[in-house]
Amino acid sequence: MADAPARPQEGTGPSKVTLYRNGSVYTAADPFATAMLVDGDTIAWVGSEQAATSIADNSMDIIDLRGALVAPGFVDSHAHLTETGIALDSLQLGGVRSARELLDAVAASGGEGAVLGHGWDESLWDDPTLPDAGELERAAAGRPVYLSRVDVHSALVSPSLVASAGLAELDGYAPGGHVRREAHTAARQATRRLSTAALQDYQRRALDEAAANGYVALAEMGAPRISSFDDLRLAAGWNDAAGTRPAPEVLPYWGQLTTTAADAEALLAELGVRVRGFAGDLNIDGSIGSRTASLREPYTDAPGETGTTYLSVAEAAAHLAACSLLGIQGGFHVIGDAGLDAALQALEEAAAEVGEQRVRAAGHRFEHVEMADADAIARLAKYSVTVSAQPAFDAAWGGQGRLYERRLGSRSQGMNPFASFYSAGVPICFGSDTPVTPLRPWSSVRACLEHHDADQRISARAAFLGHTRAGWRAARYENPMAGQLVPGAPASFAVWEVDELMVQVADNRVQSWSTDPRARTPLLPALDTGTDPRCLQTVRDGLELFSAEALRG
C-alpha cells in the first residue's frame, strides 16, 4: 500500500476533504495507521503520521485526534425507533426495585393523558409481587397507565386502559393488570395512536441517541403488532430527508406473514417502502422474562407453562418459501428451544418446496435465538441463516441466580451460544433490541467478552466485527465495503476517546492483551477500565451526525 494518497483533484465539485491525524485508526489496511483522509463520502487514504504531515495543507479540515480512536461506525441489527423514543421520554423504570417504588414513580409523573413507562423487571426485586390494577389506577389519579416490562412482551395496565382498549376479552388478559399476548398488543397499540409529527419527534429522539453513541445505521424492525405502515415509511424516510439534520441510516424490515410469492409481492407494493425483508419481529414465540418463549419443557419457576407459539410450522414454511422465491430475506423472532424447533422445521419444509439453494441464497435471518443446541446450530449453518443476537441480554439476565436460571434452571447454561455459532460457521450480527437494552455498543461488545458461560465467550475483535461489518452484511447491504475503513469504503465511522488500546481475547488461559507488532492486529479500546469509550464524533457517508465539543476544543 502506498504510504501517501494522491491529492484530491481540483475542480471536481464541492467535495469536502478532512484529514484526521495524531490518533489511531482501526483498519485492516494498516494496523499501525494514525491518520485518515476523508474525501466527501469516501475514505481516500489511511496511513502514518509522517505521511499525513506531507499531505496536509490549508485547503483541508484538519482534526487533531489527540490520541483518539477512529473506528467503523456501529450497526444496531435490531432496533425499534418509535418505541425507543417513547421509552426515552417516558418513566424510566429500570431502577425500581419494588412494587412500592413503581407506584411512587407513577404517582410522581406529571403531564396529562396516559402514564407511559418502560423497563421494570420484577426478577431484580427482593419481592417480585407486582402491583395490581387498582393500585396503578389510584397512583395515577385515574389516568390510563401502560408500563412495559423490560422485554416489552408484557405490561402493567390500569382498569381505565383495560376498559377503553377492550382488553378484558382478549387472550393474555389478567385481572391483576399484568397483560401478555393479544391483550398486551392491544394495550400498546391503544397508547400509540400518534400524529405524524409525534412519530417523527420520537424517531428523531431515538436517532439522535444512536448517533451520540457511535451508530451509523440501525435495522428498524417494524411489524403490525408493534407499529403501522406509516411508522415504517417515516422511519425509512430519514434516509432521504433532504434539508434535515443527517441521521444514522435506517435499514427497514417488516415482520408480516406472507403465504405465497404473489402475496409477498402485493405486500411490498402496499408498503411503498423498499424493505430489506419480511423478517425481524414476526413472532414465532415471545420472551423468557414474560414466560411466552416457547419451550420443550416447562418453565422451572412455572411448572405448568411452556410459553406460546404464535405461528404454526406450515405458516412459517410458507412464509420462508415465498420470500425465497422472491429472493428477499424472511425470518422470525424466535427465542425458546421449541420455537427454534418450529423455525428449523419450517426451513426444511420450505427447502423441500422451493429448493435448498433458493433458501440459502435468500439469506434469511432469525432474531435472538437464545436457546440453540448443537443440532440446531448445525441446521442454521446448513441453510446459511444469520442469527441477529443481543449480547446485553446475557449481561442483564445470565449467570447464577439471575433471570435465565430462575426461569430455566440448568438449561440457562447453554444460552446465547455465540462461540458455538462462530465455530459452526453461522453468520452472526449483534444489536440491542432497543428499548429493551440501551444503545451502548461498547457495553454490548464487553458482554461478548464476559459471557456468563465461559465456553461461549468470543474475542473483542469478533464481537466488534459482529457489531459493525456483520450488521451491513446481515442486511445484504449493496456496498460490500461498508463497515471497514479502507480506501474506497464509505466514510461511515465514529471517533472515540479511549483510556487504552489493546488486543483482547476471551480465553483467560492465554495472554489477555498484546501490542506485539508482529501480530499486525488493529487495536480496540480496553473494556476492563470501568468506563466505556466516549463518543466524540459520528459520521455517516461523510456527513457529521454528532460531534462533542471536545473533538475540536
Side-chain angles (χ1 to χ4, degrees):
M1 182 190 74
D3 198 25
R7 291 176 180 271
Q9 295 182 3
E10 297 182 2
T12 57
S15 178
K16 177 184 177 183
V17 178
T18 304
L19 177 64
Y20 293 81
R21 61 180 303 180
N22 190 30
S24 181
V25 181
Y26 186 92
T27 172
D30 179 356
F32 311 117
T34 63
M36 180 175 79
L37 190 70
V38 175
D39 185 0
D41 61 359
T42 304
I43 305 298
W45 166 84
V46 293
S48 70
E49 193 63 24
Q50 180 180 4
T53 298
S54 72
I55 64 172
D57 62 40
N58 59 13
S59 70
M60 301 175 181
D61 182 10
I62 299 178
I63 295 179
D64 184 351
L65 294 169
R66 297 190 291 275
L69 170 70
V70 182
F74 285 98
V75 179
D76 194 305
S77 291
H78 191 117
H80 303 281
L81 293 180
T82 299
E83 289 295 313
T84 297
I86 291 173
L88 289 170
D89 283 349
S90 300
L91 292 179
Q92 305 295 306
L93 302 176
V96 304
R97 290 296 179 266
S98 68
R100 182 70 266 161
E101 287 185 19
L102 186 144
L103 291 169
D104 288 344
V106 171
S109 64
E112 299 178 354
V115 178
L116 304 180
H118 169 72
W120 59 269
D121 183 355
E122 84 290 356
S123 74
L124 302 176
W125 302 357
D126 290 335
D127 177 0
T129 304
L130 299 172
D132 66 32
E135 290 175 307
L136 284 176
E137 189 90 349
R138 289 189 292 275
R143 295 165 61 192
V145 178
Y146 170 87
L147 310 176
S148 53
R149 194 181 184 280
V150 63
D151 55 14
V152 202
H153 281 264
S154 63
L156 296 173
V157 297
S158 63
S160 57
L161 183 58
V162 170
S164 63
L167 307 184
E169 306 302 319
L170 300 178
D171 175 55
Y173 169 73
H178 184 199
V179 294
R180 301 186 294 175
R181 300 189 295 274
E182 288 182 12
H184 173 244
T185 297
R188 176 161 61 178
Q189 290 177 340
T191 61
R192 301 302 191 262
R193 295 175 184 140
L194 303 169
S195 67
T196 295
L199 289 172
Q200 288 177 318
D201 286 346
Y202 283 129
Q203 290 182 0
R204 179 83 252 184
R205 178 83 163 84
L207 290 166
D208 287 347
E209 177 77 3
N213 285 281
Y215 289 94
V216 295
L218 302 95
E220 166 65 7
M221 296 301 179
R225 68 178 186 82
I226 298 172
S227 54
S228 64
F229 281 3
D230 286 342
D231 187 276
L232 186 72
R233 291 172 187 136
L234 289 171
W238 293 104
N239 295 338
D240 303 308
T244 65
R245 190 167 75 257
E249 183 160 357
V250 177
L251 307 170
Y253 285 84
W254 185 248
Q256 184 168 337
L257 190 69
T258 61
T259 55
T260 65
D263 181 28
E265 285 183 312
L267 181 55
L268 285 171
E270 186 180 4
L271 275 169
V273 171
R274 182 180 174 269
V275 294
R276 297 270 157 187
F278 293 134
D281 277 334
L282 174 53
N283 283 45
I284 277 188
D285 68 352
S287 75
I288 290 165
S290 292
R291 297 193 191 90
T292 49
S294 181
L295 305 183
R296 296 170 183 166
E297 302 293 334
Y299 284 88
T300 300
D301 59 353
E305 297 187 36
T306 56
T308 305
T309 304
Y310 295 107
L311 296 178
S312 70
V313 170
E315 289 173 322
H319 178 76
L320 291 174
C323 291
S324 298
L325 287 171
L326 286 186
I328 66 172
Q329 287 181 306
F332 313 102
H333 162 121
V334 54
I335 285 181
D337 48 10
L340 184 56
D341 289 342
L344 292 169
Q345 182 61 36
L347 270 174
E348 292 174 353
E349 292 189 11
E353 180 180 343
V354 303
E356 183 177 319
Q357 187 53 40
R358 271 198 173 125
V359 169
R360 289 172 56 88
H364 301 308
R365 56 186 291 161
F366 290 174
E367 310 299 312
H368 314 308
V369 194
E370 294 195 66
M371 300 177 71
D373 58 22
D375 176 67
I377 292 170
R379 292 160 77 189
L380 289 166
K382 174 183 177 181
Y383 291 106
S384 299
V385 175
T386 293
V387 168
S388 169
Q390 290 69 44
F393 286 10
D394 185 80
W397 304 311
Q400 187 173 4
R402 305 178 82 179
L403 175 73
Y404 287 159
E405 188 176 76
R406 293 182 189 180
R407 293 284 193 270
L408 303 171
S410 61
R411 290 169 291 178
S412 66
Q413 184 62 19
M415 293 185 64
N416 296 306
F418 303 149
S420 295
F421 286 141
Y422 273 107
S423 8
V426 175
I428 187 167
C429 60
F430 295 120
S432 66
D433 198 9
T434 178
V436 176
T437 66
L439 288 159
R440 299 293 183 270
W442 291 112
S443 292
S444 188
V445 172
R446 183 187 301 108
C448 294
L449 277 166
E450 298 177 354
H451 195 294
H452 85 275
D453 182 347
D455 291 338
Q456 297 303 333
R457 294 171 183 166
I458 58 176
S459 69
R461 179 178 181 273
F464 181 73
L465 292 176
H467 283 84
T468 54
R469 191 174 185 183
W472 296 110
R473 290 183 172 182
R476 304 181 77 192
Y477 196 70
E478 293 77 7
N479 190 334
M481 300 182 76
Q484 50 188 326
L485 301 183
V486 295
S492 295
F493 56 89
V495 179
W496 300 94
E497 182 179 78
V498 296
D499 294 329
E500 183 181 1
L501 294 172
M502 60 173 58
V503 175
Q504 294 159 99
V505 296
D507 190 344
N508 59 16
R509 293 172 300 176
V510 300
Q511 185 172 310
S512 63
W513 65 277
S514 170
T515 54
D516 187 335
R518 293 171 296 180
R520 296 192 63 80
T521 302
L523 304 179
L524 285 167
L527 296 175
D528 58 359
T529 63
T531 58
D532 283 354
R534 176 191 176 200
C535 187
L536 299 176
Q537 186 188 43
T538 306
V539 174
R540 177 179 69 83
D541 293 332
L543 300 174
E544 186 175 83
L545 310 183
F546 168 80
S547 181
E549 289 185 9
L551 179 70
R552 294 179 174 87

